[in-house]
């Protein structure tokens, strides 16, 4: 039972981690919460459905193309909803703009794709059993894809010139500009990378639960956001860890305590951890020297 | 001869609050020019407007004869204007080597970059020893050295320095100023230096401007200014 719940928890945790990264990276460079992130994910997942149903694309090609669309949508959200806000009470204006964008995307999805839940294309399920633990090929694929995405992200953020520029922007946009960095381009790219991973995560979860619907982003987004907060928002390794911790606790909670509260465990874990470590697992430690 | 930098009738404000009112000054090729003045005089505002972080409300900034006012900061780096920001502005989460690399962000000449790295590590050997350490763990003086080294990696023709002496012990300030003069002498790099430490600034520079509440109130050859009564009283504590 324990190992079984652990396996299930790691699977959903991987998805939470991929979504959490989008919140954390945007927060890292702009110190804003992109509340439209999960709706961008939902929209991208519907595009995946469209690609399959209308264009009969194979699953993997569809996933990459849908994620690319999600990335483009995420970048557009930044240009339309956040970039124009430069002065005044910026945080409040950004919050309102983000919530507006989120509502807009949900309504647009209902209008275009309908409001009911639709079955999502999946692959033939193969089940493996080792001892008392059962897992499926879909779970293995989700974990494999997550590992690949995390590796690529690691190479971009920590090993490439663009990644150094991103981290410089997260410290100070004006000082990054003084290095010759086109900060608007880096911000765009950050939204794009975050949304691409969310697109992949959306396809994964829709395949896993075999469903896509206009409000699918809501709980997923809240849990992923909790994961980002738990890990210390702005910290990339923190968000990954936060995603897995939330996935695992949710699964164990549903298995051992009560599955009726499945959706509450993420937030319970977050509150407990923040009570002990207010900055999360890996929250920003400020090193200031004058 | 044409000035490398010619600032004419510059007005800059934050919202409706004016910070610079009609200031004009120039810098010639190969010079060190100091801009001295008390807290809040508008020195940083002037540098930010030249480097493109702020847009002027009125006036011109002619750089090598071309008006650059309003051009975005990241594009001016390509034009070989490099700014060392107030409070150093290094990236504390990046290593010393990564900070240095960022200075050459727009450059493509690999050999040139390698040579320049050797050159700056030669000027600041302490940075070489700390190459793989993150910037935030350096001492204040080392951070200032890193900020200067990083700016040099862009091969500036015009180097803007914002209070390099800020918060540093007098011996370190001496060191930093020696290096500033050396860079100017050996490379011919033109330097516009902003300082509250008038003593150091007037000693290191060829010419200087005194700025108070957004206006230039005095200017001249640094040697002469050092002997000026009012400056001695107000800035040199004599
Ligand atoms: N971001 C800002 N928003 C509003 N006002 C500002 C801003 N930055 C500076 N000011 C104001 O503009 C004026 C000039 O400031 P500036 O930073 O240029 O002075 P400074 O000469 O560099 O001072 P210091 O020696 O203390 O660095 C000051 O009155 C300051 O309060
Ligand atoms: Mg200043």
């Amino acid at each position: 039972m324990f190992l079984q719940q652990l396996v299930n928890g790691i699977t959903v945790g991987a998805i939470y981690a991929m979504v959490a990264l989008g919140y954390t990276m945007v927060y890292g460079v702009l110190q804003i919460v992109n509340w439209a992130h999960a709706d961008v994910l939902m929209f991208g997942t519907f595009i995946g459905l469209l690609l399959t149903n209308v264009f009969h694309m194979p699953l993997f090609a569809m996933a990459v193309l849908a994620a690319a669309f999600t990335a483009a949508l995420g970048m557009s959200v930044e240009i339309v909803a956040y970039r124009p806000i430069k002065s005044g009470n910026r945080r409040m204006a950004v919050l309102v703009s983000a919530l507006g964008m989120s509502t807009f995307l949900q309504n647009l999805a209902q209008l275009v794709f309908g409001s009911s839940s639709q079955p999502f294309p999946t692959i033939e399920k193969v089940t493996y059993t080792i001892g008392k633990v059962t897992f499926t090929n879909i779970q293995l694929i989700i974990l494999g894809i997550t590992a690949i995405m995390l590796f690529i992200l690691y190479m971009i953020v920590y090993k490439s010139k663009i990644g150094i520029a991103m981290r410089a922007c997260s410290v100070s946009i004006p000082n990054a500009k003084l290095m010759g960095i086109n900060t608007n381009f880096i911000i765009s790219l950050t939204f794009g990378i975050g949304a691409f991973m969310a697109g992949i995560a959306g396809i994964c979860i829709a395949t896993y639960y075999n469903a896509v619907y206009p409000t699918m982003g809501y709980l997923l987004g809240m849990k992923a956001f909790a994961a980002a907060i738990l890990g210390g928002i702005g910290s990339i390794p923190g968000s990954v860890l936060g995603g897995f911790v939330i996935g695992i606790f949710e699964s164990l909670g549903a298995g051992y305590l009560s599955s009726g509260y499945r959706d509450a465990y993420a937030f319970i874990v977050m509150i407990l951890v923040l009570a002990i470590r207010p900055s999360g697992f890996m929250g920003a430690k400020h090193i200031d020297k004058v | 001869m044409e000035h490398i930098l010619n600032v004419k009738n510059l007005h800059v404000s934050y919202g409706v609050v004016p910070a610079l009112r009609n200031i004009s000054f120039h810098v010639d090729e190969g010079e060190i020019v100091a801009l001295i003045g008390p807290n809040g005089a508008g020195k940083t505002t002037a540098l930010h407007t030249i480097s493109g972080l702020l847009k002027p409300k009125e006036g011109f900034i002619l750089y090598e004869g071309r008006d650059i006012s309003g051009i975005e900061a990241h594009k001016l780096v390509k034009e070989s204007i490099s700014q060392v920001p107030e409070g150093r502005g290094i990236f504390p989460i990046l290593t010393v080597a990564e900070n240095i690399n960022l200075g050459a962000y727009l450059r493509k000449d690999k050999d040139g970059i390698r040579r320049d790295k050797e050159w700056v590590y030669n000027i600041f050997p302490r940075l070489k020893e700390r190459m793989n350490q993150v910037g935030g763990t350096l001492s204040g003086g080392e951070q200032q050295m890193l900020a200067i080294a990083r700016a040099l990696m862009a091969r500036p023709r015009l180097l803007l320095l914002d209070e390099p002496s800020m918060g540093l012990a007098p011996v370190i300030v001496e060191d930093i100023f020696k290096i500033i003069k050396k860079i100017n002498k050996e490379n011919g790099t033109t330097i516009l230096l902003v300082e509250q430490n008038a003593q150091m600034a007037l000693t290191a520079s060829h010419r200087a401007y005194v700025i108070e509440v957004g206006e230039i109130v005095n200017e001249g050859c640094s040697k002469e200014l050092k002997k000026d009564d009012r400056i001695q009283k107000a800035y040199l504590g004599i």
Side-chain angles (χ1 to χ4, degrees), chain A residues 107-247:
Chain A
N107 283 303
L108 187 66
Q110 286 186 13
L111 201 69
V112 178
F113 306 110
S115 56
S116 58
S117 175
Q118 298 178 46
F120 200 79
T122 185
I123 43 180
E124 203 174 325
K125 200 181 208 169
V126 185
T127 307
Y128 313 93
T129 309
I130 297 177
K132 283 183 189 148
V133 183
T134 307
F135 53 93
T136 67
N137 56 339
I138 295 177
Q139 285 180 313
L140 288 180
I141 291 170
I142 287 175
L143 288 175
I145 287 174
T146 305
I148 293 168
M149 295 303 296
L150 292 183
F151 177 74
I152 294 173
L153 183 74
Y154 171 81
M155 294 308 281
I156 293 175
V157 174
Y158 294 100
K159 299 287 163 197
S160 80
K161 191 170 161 179
I162 287 285
I164 294 180
M166 273 169 133
R167 285 185 290 148
C169 285
S170 78
V171 174
S172 159
I173 300 260
N175 289 342
K177 281 186 183 154
L178 292 178
M179 301 297 104
I181 296 169
N182 182 345
T183 51
N184 275 341
F185 169 73
I186 297 291
I187 290 168
S188 235
L189 198 71
T190 306
F191 272 81
I193 293 174
F196 187 91
M197 280 187 301
I200 296 286
I203 302 289
C204 285
I205 202 149
T207 310
Y208 192 50
Y209 292 128
N210 189 22
V212 50
Y213 48 99
T215 52
M216 70 180 274
Y218 181 66
L219 263 181
L220 177 58
M222 290 304 278
K223 288 178 191 171
F225 180 64
I229 294 281
L230 179 64
I233 192 152
S235 160
I236 288 179
S239 287
V240 175
L241 184 63
F244 281 108
V245 166
I246 288 209

Side-chain angles (χ1 to χ4, degrees), chain B residues 124-208:
Chain B
F124 303 107
R126 285 212 265 175
L127 295 181
K128 188 165 193 175
E129 293 161 25
R130 290 164 176 71
M131 234 165 88
N132 298 316
Q133 220 167 295
V134 292
T137 60
L138 299 182
S139 74
E142 287 161 354
Q143 291 192 7
Q144 188 63 60
M145 293 173 191
L146 178 57
I148 295 174
R150 186 183 67 177
L152 291 177
M153 288 304 294
R155 284 223 153 244
R157 286 200 294 280
L158 175 62
L159 180 62
L160 310 171
L161 298 173
D162 198 343
E163 298 205 36
S165 74
M166 188 193 254
L168 301 181
V171 271
I172 313 251
V173 173
E174 297 266 352
D175 281 353
I176 300 264
F177 272 85
K178 253 183 226 151
I179 288 162
I180 291 170
K181 279 195 274 191
K182 188 175 150 189
I183 292 163
N184 170 260
K185 239 199 193 121
E186 292 178 6
N187 288 67
T189 309
T190 309
I191 294 174
L192 176 58
L193 168 71
V194 155
E195 261 301 345
Q196 279 197 48
N197 184 337
Q199 178 67 41
M200 283 314 297
L202 291 177
T203 309
S205 59
H206 303 106
R207 287 188 307 115

Side-chain angles (χ1 to χ4, degrees), chain A residues 161 167 175 181 287 289-290, chain B residues 74 88-89 98 105 136 138:
Chain A
K161 191 170 161 179
R167 285 185 290 148
N175 289 342
I181 296 169
I287 312 167
K289 279 241 169 77
V290 181
Chain B
H74 70 268
R88 355 246 194 245
E98 285 171 329
Y105 184 75
L138 299 182

Side-chain angles (χ1 to χ4, degrees), chain B residues 14 19 37-45 86 163 196:
Chain B
Y14 294 97
N39 277 120
K43 305 179 298 294
T44 299
T45 306
E86 186 175 77
E163 298 205 36
Q196 279 197 48

Side-chain angles (χ1 to χ4, degrees), chain B residues 2-173:
Chain B
E2 198 167 26
H3 309 305
I4 182 167
L5 182 74
N6 194 0
V7 175
K8 272 175 151 171
N9 307 110
L10 198 67
H11 291 254
V12 183
S13 20
Y14 294 97
V16 292
V17 188
L20 295 180
R21 303 166 229 246
N22 199 25
I23 69 162
S24 299
F25 62 92
H26 67 267
V27 182
D28 283 323
E29 184 125 32
E31 270 190 313
I32 299 183
V33 169
L35 207 56
I36 60 175
N39 277 120
K43 305 179 298 294
T44 299
T45 306
L47 283 199
H48 279 353
T49 315
I50 297 166
S51 66
L53 288 176
L54 289 172
K55 284 189 181 27
K57 218 165 102 184
E58 269 177 61
F60 302 98
I61 301 168
L62 301 176
Y63 170 67
E64 297 179 333
R66 194 162 71 94
D67 187 11
I68 56 163
S69 52
I71 297 184
E72 287 171 275
H74 70 268
K75 290 184 182 149
L76 289 177
V77 178
K78 216 173 204 143
E79 306 295 325
S80 305
I81 297 179
S82 218
Q83 183 183 355
V84 176
E86 186 175 77
R88 355 246 194 245
I90 59 141
F91 301 106
I93 58 169
L94 301 180
T95 65
V96 168
E98 285 171 329
N99 270 280
I100 299 264
N101 284 338
L102 271 179
Y105 184 75
L106 292 177
R107 288 175 63 182
K108 302 265 182 314
D109 55 322
K110 286 217 172 75
D111 290 341
I113 293 174
R114 197 165 31 77
R115 262 196 311 266
D116 285 350
K117 266 189 213 168
E118 261 166 51
W119 170 55
V120 297
Y121 282 134
N122 225 343
I123 305 176
F124 303 107
R126 285 212 265 175
L127 295 181
K128 188 165 193 175
E129 293 161 25
R130 290 164 176 71
M131 234 165 88
N132 298 316
Q133 220 167 295
V134 292
T137 60
L138 299 182
S139 74
E142 287 161 354
Q143 291 192 7
Q144 188 63 60
M145 293 173 191
L146 178 57
I148 295 174
R150 186 183 67 177
L152 291 177
M153 288 304 294
R155 284 223 153 244
R157 286 200 294 280
L158 175 62
L159 180 62
L160 310 171
L161 298 173
D162 198 343
E163 298 205 36
S165 74
M166 188 193 254
L168 301 181
V171 271
I172 313 251
V173 173

